[in-house]
Amino acid sequence: MIPCVNKTIFGVECMGCGTQRAIAFLLRGDFIAAFKMFPAIYTTLLLFLFIGIHFIDSSRKYHKIIISLAIVNALIMIISYFYKHF
């Protein structure tokens, strides 16, 4: 796994720490462990899926869905970050 630069330099995990391990758990089929490692993993994958669909099918408007998913994803990341540290 690639080490987190923020954790290496400052000693504090960033909001995205655990993403690689969560993806590894998903690839192994351990969905609960992936969620425990990085709670925003499913919204992140959904966000990237809609971004990819947006580039493939530009005739439809996916902006509202992408912005909504980005906001939900950011909120989950912020809440889980503070929950983990406090």
Side-chain angles (χ1 to χ4, degrees):
M1 298 281 166
I2 300 170
C4 177
V5 177
N6 193 43
K7 189 172 183 178
T8 305
I9 294 173
F10 301 113
V12 179
E13 291 184 352
C14 67
M15 287 190 210
C17 277
T19 307
Q20 292 179 54
R21 292 172 288 188
I23 291 172
F25 281 129
L26 280 178
L27 293 175
R28 286 189 225 137
D30 196 354
F31 302 110
I32 295 171
F35 180 78
K36 287 180 181 178
M37 186 62 58
F38 183 64
I41 187 67
Y42 297 114
T43 56
T44 302
L45 293 176
L46 198 59
L47 175 65
F48 285 132
L49 175 72
F50 272 99
I51 290 172
I53 291 172
H54 174 68
F55 284 119
I56 292 170
D57 182 19
S58 61
S59 65
R60 295 187 181 172
K61 305 289 184 193
Y62 292 103
H63 299 293
K64 290 181 182 179
I65 296 172
I66 291 172
I67 291 171
S68 300
L69 281 172
I71 291 170
V72 168
N73 194 32
L75 286 174
I76 292 172
M77 288 174 70
I78 291 168
I79 291 168
S80 65
Y81 178 77
F82 283 113
Y83 179 75
K84 189 186 320 182
H85 288 284
F86 298 110

